[in-house]
Amino acid sequence: MKVKINISSEIVTKPILAESIVETGVLLNVSQAHFDRSHGEVVADVLEEHFEKIRHALVSRGAVVTRLDTPIELNEDECVDCGACISVCPTKVFSMDKDYSLLVDTSKCIQCGTCVEMCPHNALALINNKHA
Amino acid sequence: MVKKTIHEINAKIRDGSVNVVTAEEMVDIVAELGPEDASREVDVVTTGTFGAMCSSGVWFNFGHSEPPIKMQKVWMNDVEAYTGVAAVDAFLGAAQLSESMGMEYGGAHVIEDLIRGKSVELHAVSHGTDCYPRKVLDTSLALADMNQAIMVNPRNAYQKYNAATNGSRQTVQTYMGSLLPNFGNVTYSGAGVLSPLSNDPDYRTIGTGSRIFLGGAQGYIVGQGTQHASADQFGTLMVQGDLKKMSTDYIRAANFTGYGISLYVGIGIPIPVLDEEIAQATAVTDADITINILDYGVPSRDRPVLCQASYAELRSGCIEINGKDVATSSLSSFKTARRIAAELRDWISRGEFFVSMPVENLPADSSAKAMKETGGVSLVSEIMSTNVVTIDKDASVYKAAKIIMEAEFNHLPVVSGDNLVVGIVTAWDISKAVSQGKFDLVEDMMTRKVITAKADERVDVVARRLDRHGVSALPVLNNEDHIIGIVTSDDISKLFARRH
């Protein structure tokens, strides 16, 4: 399963992730990470049975942990099958069918949101990532 | 030799015996029969394209209010339209942004909302005249309430268009979509095999007056589009059609993150097959049309061309740039382009749409000029200080400090015996030397890597250099590398303050 870990600016300099991993022994597979002056945000894979353990460790250190269990959603009324999303997706969620219809394989989605910005028709949305 | 006239073809459309195929279907027909037999067999080839066309908009006539108003400014759903014409006429540009919602909503969305049957809020202001006394107007109008809503698009249906990638280290947000750093992706636009002008590259049948498919309705070509550059196969079209008859299947608002708003416009153009040369031209394939791939990471009009690729290569999903496989995305919808070509084919087969010859041909050898700029180009020579004080590299730190204090500036270029610049010293360098207890020679504490400028360079170019290197002054050198002045960020600030 995927989790999103948000780290506020006050604690962004502390090794929260490393401490939590060392304490719990739970492995996190980080698929994306972004840090700037205002905050840090990490998206990672973790085994379902380990989620509560690592969540507790992270939350006790001040992080906010969100379960990412809803992959990208395509609004077919807005989509015009241009394929703009195809080249920005890091995990090849999108492809073109033989008849040039857009194919979406949501099982590959790591919920990074790059395609949401790219789509000229606002046809893609990530429910979990909107306001975390 | 096959020779057909437009009247013969229209007679066949009328009696239902016309043979119409799409430009994609025509490829195989010409390959199988050859152009001569293909031109005997096929009467009309239909094309189609559906992509972002910012240079689009609608002329409205709203009807007169009571008392009447001569609109001076008008907004539709808070998006300004141009009304510097008669009283209640206005042109709404697709790319105009909402004054309250910014890039979320714009002219293209107003156009789409109107086609969907929604009403829009109209707000207009005027100074009031004897004949048009009203000064403010607010009402809500749907498309059916307007006298006319005529789509007039100054530049549509580019013959082909350059593809985009990004060689810089940051993502750039462009009208070609998000371009990922280090050549992370490529985006392109255009219908290739179905592109209207690529199927008639000599503009023999496409020109002023040609009847076309526009946004799901019948429309017309006004003539050449703006920036029509036929000499480089970048022809464009100005088109018009009745918005009231259009469909949101073929007219769609679009938001490009960080860039703004555009309108996806669906255009289909029929090409009457008058002879075998036209048949041959309509057999063009994706592989035959090659475009340049430009580096949009360079923020300049003259973006570097990195390589070339055909529409066939781009459509494969991946091309090679500098030995690396790069994923490609189309921004235009090939599926919708196909639907347009097929729908136009069906209209003609059913006798609902007749083909026409242009009353005027499009210009054959035109090119698009760069802008002539008369104001605002400032050169370094215009703003640099020429009374520049220098110091010898063998002078003492104390002497350097004294000169800086007396001359009241922060940068002291260091020269060698032959008057060549070998370093630069700032007040900060001196503070640093003092704090470290170094009071020896200027040479030992100067910055050796000096970033310089030339007198005939543009100020904006030099400003970017200052910023990139994190410095605040550049010695200006002549062609013999002798110092002739110094330009500082203060000089640039003053220039900017004067202008605005």
Side-chain angles (χ1 to χ4, degrees), chain B residues 123 216 247 251 278 296 375 386 476 482 499:
Chain B
H123 172 66
S247 153
I251 299 289
I278 291 177
Y296 276 62
T386 49
V476 183
H482 292 150
R499 267 204 214 143

Side-chain angles (χ1 to χ4, degrees), chain B residues 391 395-405 412 425 430 442 445:
Chain B
I391 190 164
S396 68
V397 172
Y398 174 76
K399 189 175 174 197
K402 205 156 175 278
I403 292 176
I404 284 178
M405 285 308 294
L412 195 54
V425 166
I430 293 174
V442 165
M445 43 77 73

Side-chain angles (χ1 to χ4, degrees), chain A residues 77-88 98-101 114 116-122, chain B residues 50 173 177-178 185 187 252-255 257 264 315 327-336 338:
Chain A
D77 291 337
E78 292 296 336
C79 178
V80 302
D81 299 281
C82 62
C85 47
I86 293 174
S87 73
V88 294
K98 280 194 193 103
D99 71 346
Y100 291 93
S101 298
T114 314
V116 177
E117 272 204 341
M118 179 64 156
C119 178
H121 295 275
N122 291 333
Chain B
F50 183 67
Q173 304 288 4
S178 309
N185 65 333
T187 62
R252 283 293 187 89
N255 303 61
T257 303
Y264 273 55
R315 231 180 273 294
T328 61
S329 275
S330 172
L331 297 172
S332 54
S333 168
F334 191 68
K335 187 183 180 190
T336 312
R338 265 185 176 172

Side-chain angles (χ1 to χ4, degrees), chain B residues 203-260:
Chain B
Y203 315 138
R204 286 189 54 203
T205 69
I206 300 177
T208 296
S210 300
R211 189 179 290 115
I212 62 169
F213 172 113
L214 178 61
Q218 291 191 14
Y220 299 90
I221 293 174
V222 177
Q224 62 171 319
T226 55
Q227 238 163 274
H228 176 73
S230 45
D232 307 314
Q233 287 91 51
F234 279 90
T236 71
L237 297 174
M238 188 179 292
V239 299
Q240 67 120 310
D242 187 350
L243 188 74
K244 293 188 179 194
K245 295 179 180 153
M246 292 185 191
S247 153
T248 53
D249 288 347
Y250 305 113
I251 299 289
R252 283 293 187 89
N255 303 61
F256 286 91
T257 303
Y259 165 74

